[in-house]
Amino acid sequence: MSDTAPRFPRRSALLLLGTAIAAAAPSGVSRARARARDAAAPRPARRVDGLLARLTLDEKISLLHGATDPDPLGQAGYVPGVKRLGIPPLRLADGPAGVRVTRHATALPAPVLLASTFDPDLARRYGQVIGREGRALGQDVLLSPMVNLIRTPYAGRNFETFSEDPLLSAHLVAAEIEGIQGEGLVATVKHFALNNQERDRMSVDVRVDERTLHETELRGFEAAVAAGTGAVMGAYNKVDGTFACEHEALLTGILRERWGFTGFVMSDWSAAHSTRASLLAGLDLEMPDGTHFGTALATAVRDGGVPEAYVDRAVRRILTVMDRFGLLGGSPPPRPDRDARAGAAVAREVAEAGATLLRNVRGTLPLAEGTTVALIGPTAARPLVSGGGSAHVVPEHADSPLDAVRPRAARVTWALGEDAFGKPFPADAFDPAFDTEAQRVAAGRTWTYEGTLTVAEDEEWTLVLHYTGTPPHRPRVLLDGEDLFPVAPGWSEYFTGGLLTHAEDGLSVRRRTLKPGRGTHRLSVTAQGHDTGGLFRLRRITAATRAEDVAHAVRAARAARDVVLFAYEDAIEGQDRTTVALPGNQERLIEAVTAANARTTVVLNTSSATSMPWLERTGAVLQMYYPGQEGAAATAAVLYGDTDPGGRLTQTFPTGDDRHPVAGDPRRYPGVDGTELYTEGVHVGHRWYDAQDVRPLFPFGHGLSYTSFAYGDPDARWTADGLEVAFTVRNTGTRDGVDVPQVYAGPSPDLRLGQPVRVLAGYRRLALRAGEERRVGVRVEPRILSSWDPRAHDWVLGTGLRTLWIGASSGDLRLRTTARVTGPDRSAG
């Protein structure tokens, strides 16, 4: 395709890329030559060209933006087809941990738990479940997987992605995409690029140097392209002052010209900000509507502001992917039946394999059969299946840990411990009195209350509203004239799910923490019945109600031999955490319970890293993240030793809010005046802890077994395919178990570039019988031993004598060896 369209002037120097053209295109290839090469390349499939020639301009544009589905299935997006030419519509569903539609689907463990398995083969099977179910449930495109690195422990979607480490993330995303697309569902890797936080994600301007970009965040995206991903989703944020969805250096220079991506690029929902700039930069599909790629685009083409060749380019990319997946030609592949049993089996396997034992002393775990057990915490009785937002999946079933443990214990008791849904108000709190537990509003009617609320103590309260109806229909509650539960702007209001946003009876829940002050306060409530009528409750959580819950939990702990305390943190798209500490009263709960019974295991159903000032009081800590629909059975299996806890941390756990890579520097997070600086450079995650000599709570790769392992006889040699590292692993305990030995590589002495102290270079997941010894080989690819040279705008191999460590984590390095890497050193001079 000839490209003679006028170009926008570009900045002479991008902080992102240094010299943008040279960095984006292959070494020595100018932008003009790259385009000439593309124009001379073989034409796309004859079928696609034939359809493109017959499409009208309006029909072409209809394929470039989302629309309202006439037969919705609850999916995230819909692109209408062109019926007269046999082009079917596309339905696009969220799916980080299962297919998110209104019908039931397998709720798989969160991707961060999948990543904890360190098992690309299992990631491939995880993808196969989603791919099959997506097709079975009428979907064509999956809006997953997410491969943005875990850069800050506060990021609200850390549970939806894999790791802080570029290598591990690259391996897992490639395998999952192969699984998804092998079942005929188009995968969408997201969010391209640098969408590493939820706070200010719609507007934050990320500034990152060229080398950091390529060595960290882009590794996973490059692997996804190499695996053949059909689609890429552009991010919300800006990169060096330009929105990601209109960033030519990213969408064309790197994605297409450097990596050879041939699929289509879509915007995140409402992430497109322009018509001409976005289309010319390389955005092909605007979602979820046609604000910029609908009427505005048609007008721009007809007025001559946008050459139709760019419309054709975008349409061709979309149709080419559709043709690749058999959706064109009038006979698309038949949709399979959903295999719920097979999906459940994979969900349980992943949850067991990713279960990460962080601490185990005094023989606390595994639990013995037939003892008395106290289960404590709301997620002991109500399963926390998944996080909220676009990752939320409603399964056909999900047992609670209480259900799973009860058959295995002589006696089981349960105590709430931490109340998230509130206690009823005392009858005399309101004047005039009204029923705060079950206030019904008839259809078509408006219910109002004007009165006073009396507060007896000067303390912090959390007011909790339970209600029926959609967000705009929420009852309006004013305390001293302030609206306590205003409707959140934009999509944020609809990012619900997880544990805390719905009560057990299905009512929606919102909370507001405040300190009203002792005395009398004006209260006004207005509730609409709308077409079907409604119901609401108003409750509160106070210091007194929390003390009662803790006291009950302590009594249960004292009466039992073993305690399993389930702690939670309910993460959701659209907002970041404010601390790595457990929310609410849970730290005080754990301290009280562990003081009452030292045989306490804390099970963490959390999204990301957690600080643990209570750690030394516990007997054991088991990290289960959001374990999916089979999480209860998997948790019980690990607690009772049916399976070895085989998970390892894919993110470093800091000791607190002041000891992690973005702590204490608002320029790094959340940004200052709308700009965020990635000044940590290539020292992301565990690399930062090594560079700064900061001791974490738990290092990257950490995880315990119910047995023990010894490593020995290391050896490494350089070959044409990279470094071959070999060593021996022996199970020195009396139980069968799982180990994940890891290989780390030190810096090259020949590169004139600052390098990490060590990088993850490889790993193996092993299941060894008691007493078994095995010789293990790990291949370290040349790319892992290379650095991005910003002068050459390319990778350069790090030659010379390289140190290699073998260990059980980045903080438990047990063996050391060296090998000489040979090859051209283009950075030296």
Side-chain angles (χ1 to χ4, degrees):
M1 180 183 71
S2 175
D3 184 358
T4 59
R7 313 298 297 168
F8 279 157
R10 303 181 68 232
R11 294 176 59 183
S12 60
L14 289 175
L15 179 61
L16 165 67
L17 296 174
T19 306
I21 294 175
S27 180
V29 180
S30 71
R31 180 64 53 89
R33 286 177 58 192
R35 284 182 176 139
R37 176 203 61 202
D38 292 345
R43 301 286 289 171
R46 183 177 301 172
R47 178 170 22 234
V48 171
D49 278 348
L51 288 171
L52 191 58
R54 298 169 63 192
L55 286 165
T56 68
L57 176 61
D58 287 340
E59 287 171 337
K60 293 175 187 176
I61 288 174
S62 73
L63 295 172
L64 302 186
H65 64 82
T68 301
D69 191 343
D71 186 21
L73 300 171
Q75 78 279 2
Y78 171 82
V79 178
V82 180
K83 188 174 183 180
R84 75 176 183 88
L85 296 179
I87 300 174
L90 291 176
R91 289 185 168 88
L92 303 85
D94 289 316
V99 184
R100 188 175 187 249
V101 294
T102 51
R103 293 170 59 188
H104 289 133
T106 300
L108 292 158
V112 70
L113 182 53
L114 167 68
S116 299
T117 68
F118 278 69
D119 190 343
D121 289 336
L122 192 52
R124 189 172 292 106
R125 289 194 285 125
Y126 181 102
Q128 287 171 344
V129 170
I130 299 176
R132 181 187 177 103
E133 292 205 351
R135 292 278 298 145
L137 293 168
Q139 304 305 299
D140 307 294
V141 180
L142 183 78
L143 305 174
S144 183
M146 176 179 172
V147 76
N148 299 107
L149 292 185
I150 297 176
R151 176 177 178 262
T152 167
Y154 304 130
R157 300 179 80 174
N158 281 349
F159 68 95
E160 290 188 53
T161 192
F162 299 114
S163 174
E164 70 187 20
D165 188 83
L167 173 68
L168 182 61
S169 296
H171 286 175
L172 295 169
V173 75
E176 185 180 344
I177 286 171
E178 290 168 0
I180 292 165
Q181 296 194 156
E183 299 297 318
L185 191 67
V186 180
T188 306
V189 66
K190 63 183 186 183
H191 310 82
F192 191 62
L194 301 165
N195 185 177
N196 305 116
Q197 66 191 59
E198 293 300 279
R199 183 168 172 179
D200 301 325
R201 66 174 178 169
M202 302 288 188
S203 60
V204 67
D205 182 8
V206 178
R207 305 297 178 100
V208 60
D209 67 84
E210 176 186 341
R211 183 180 173 213
T212 296
L213 179 69
H214 281 275
E215 289 194 25
T216 61
E217 176 82 352
L218 291 190
R219 289 290 300 277
F221 289 100
E222 184 180 6
V225 171
T229 187
V232 170
M233 180 185 289
Y236 283 118
N237 51 278
K238 296 175 184 176
V239 180
D240 189 38
T242 301
F243 281 109
C245 286
E246 56 189 44
H247 204 296
E248 185 182 10
L250 283 174
L251 302 186
T252 296
I254 291 176
L255 187 60
R256 296 195 183 276
E257 294 179 354
R258 182 166 193 94
W259 295 344
F261 177 63
T262 59
F264 63 88
V265 178
M266 74 178 77
S267 72
D268 204 337
W269 268 224
S270 302
H273 293 268
S274 62
T275 299
R276 177 185 167 91
S278 296
L279 187 67
L280 269 60
L283 185 69
D284 304 308
L285 177 63
E286 179 189 11
M287 295 302 295
D289 54 30
T291 300
H292 301 286
F293 279 18
T295 301
L297 178 56
T299 300
V301 172
R302 292 188 174 108
D303 291 348
V306 173
E308 191 169 351
Y310 283 102
V311 173
D312 291 349
R313 181 180 72 174
V315 172
R316 179 179 282 110
R317 290 167 175 171
I318 294 169
L319 292 180
T320 298
V321 172
M322 294 179 71
D323 195 39
R324 172 185 160 194
F325 283 80
L327 302 179
L328 302 180
S331 55
R335 294 190 181 274
D337 293 328
R338 179 171 167 255
D339 191 340
R341 179 172 295 182
V346 172
R348 177 162 178 177
E349 184 179 356
V350 172
E352 291 181 356
T356 306
L357 186 61
L358 301 179
R359 173 179 167 87
N360 189 24
V361 298
R362 300 186 293 273
T364 301
L365 292 181
L367 299 177
E369 299 276 351
T371 66
T372 58
V373 182
L375 268 62
I376 295 170
T379 52
R382 184 181 177 191
L384 180 46
V385 173
S386 65
S390 58
H392 184 57
V393 178
V394 181
E396 290 167 322
H397 76 276
D399 293 335
S400 71
L402 189 59
D403 296 327
V405 169
R406 186 175 281 122
R408 310 192 65 160
R411 179 172 59 87
V412 174
T413 57
W414 173 71
L416 177 61
E418 169 74 358
D419 179 20
F421 295 96
K423 300 287 195 299
F425 276 92
D428 60 354
F430 298 98
D431 184 20
F434 75 98
D435 184 2
T436 59
E437 275 299 286
Q439 187 60 56
R440 298 189 178 276
V441 185
R445 304 295 296 273
T446 299
W447 184 92
T448 61
Y449 173 85
E450 295 288 343
T452 60
L453 167 65
T454 300
V455 178
E457 301 291 338
D458 188 13
E459 62 180 359
E460 183 179 271
W461 278 25
T462 297
L463 292 177
V464 188
L465 177 68
H466 303 218
Y467 64 97
T468 55
T470 55
H473 300 160
R474 182 159 58 237
R476 192 163 188 246
V477 181
L478 277 70
L479 187 67
D480 294 331
E482 180 183 2
D483 189 349
L484 297 183
F485 308 103
V487 176
W491 294 100
S492 299
E493 184 63 51
Y494 298 90
F495 291 143
T496 60
L499 174 74
L500 300 181
T501 56
H502 289 84
E504 288 193 62
D505 59 0
L507 267 63
S508 297
V509 176
R510 295 292 184 272
R511 297 166 186 80
R512 177 64 180 275
T513 298
L514 68 167
K515 195 170 184 179
R518 182 176 181 178
T520 301
H521 301 267
R522 291 180 292 110
L523 182 71
S524 173
V525 183
T526 304
Q528 305 286 342
H530 300 286
D531 295 335
T532 59
L535 169 72
F536 74 87
R537 293 188 286 264
L538 190 61
R539 293 181 172 180
R540 92 278 193 242
I541 302 168
T542 69
T545 65
R546 282 176 164 164
E548 291 174 6
D549 290 332
V550 170
H552 184 203
V554 167
R555 289 194 295 272
R558 285 175 176 158
R561 177 181 183 269
D562 296 292
V563 176
V564 183
L565 191 156
F566 287 79
Y568 70 90
E569 175 253 323
D570 197 35
I572 196 165
E573 180 180 355
Q575 64 185 43
D576 283 350
R577 305 158 73 192
T578 58
T579 176
V580 293
L582 288 170
N585 198 48
Q586 292 182 95
E587 287 192 349
R588 287 185 288 275
L589 172 67
I590 294 172
E591 289 169 355
V593 168
T594 52
N597 189 326
R599 292 185 58 82
T600 295
T601 297
V602 175
V603 176
L604 293 168
N605 291 135
T606 53
S607 70
S608 191
T610 304
S611 61
M612 305 178 196
W614 37 264
L615 179 65
E616 294 302 319
R617 300 186 180 200
T618 65
V621 178
L622 178 64
Q623 177 69 50
M624 291 300 296
Y625 297 105
Y626 302 147
Q629 67 180 50
E630 306 300 320
T635 301
V638 173
L639 289 174
Y640 280 93
D642 303 343
T643 185
D644 200 44
R648 302 296 184 265
L649 290 182
T650 70
Q651 56 190 304
T652 308
F653 276 36
T655 56
D657 288 306
D658 60 344
R659 302 287 279 177
H660 56 75
V662 299
D665 188 348
R667 297 172 301 170
R668 288 188 183 178
Y669 176 85
V672 175
D673 297 328
T675 299
E676 185 175 38
L677 307 179
Y678 280 34
T679 52
E680 70 274 19
V682 298
H683 304 290
V684 65
H686 58 91
R687 302 176 183 182
W688 179 88
Y689 287 87
D690 286 340
Q692 299 297 319
D693 195 24
V694 172
R695 184 179 180 86
L697 181 65
F698 294 112
F700 173 89
H702 173 73
L704 304 176
S705 166
Y706 290 147
T707 185
S708 56
F709 299 92
Y711 303 159
D713 303 322
D715 180 64
R717 62 188 181 90
W718 174 249
T719 73
D721 295 326
L723 278 175
E724 298 292 339
V725 182
F727 51 94
T728 299
V729 180
R730 182 164 58 94
N731 183 338
T732 56
T734 59
R735 298 173 60 102
D736 298 349
V738 173
D739 191 32
V740 183
Q742 300 145 47
V743 176
Y744 294 85
S748 163
D750 294 341
L751 290 183
R752 296 179 180 180
L753 296 167
Q755 299 166 68
V757 174
R758 61 184 64 88
V759 299
L760 178 68
Y763 54 88
R764 283 285 299 276
R765 181 181 177 90
L766 305 171
L768 297 179
R769 297 184 302 274
E772 181 182 1
E773 181 175 289
R774 189 179 306 174
R775 189 69 177 168
V776 176
V778 174
R779 186 169 71 88
V780 180
E781 301 168 3
R783 170 63 70 85
I784 299 167
L785 300 168
S786 301
S787 296
W788 182 269
D789 188 339
R791 294 174 297 173
H793 308 295
D794 208 346
W795 293 98
V796 58
L797 180 65
T799 56
L801 192 66
R802 304 290 294 264
T803 301
L804 300 159
W805 291 267
I806 297 113
S809 74
S810 65
D812 183 8
L813 303 174
R814 303 179 184 180
L815 302 178
R816 179 173 173 169
T817 188
T818 60
R820 186 166 297 279
V821 175
T822 60
D825 182 6
R826 288 175 289 169
S827 74

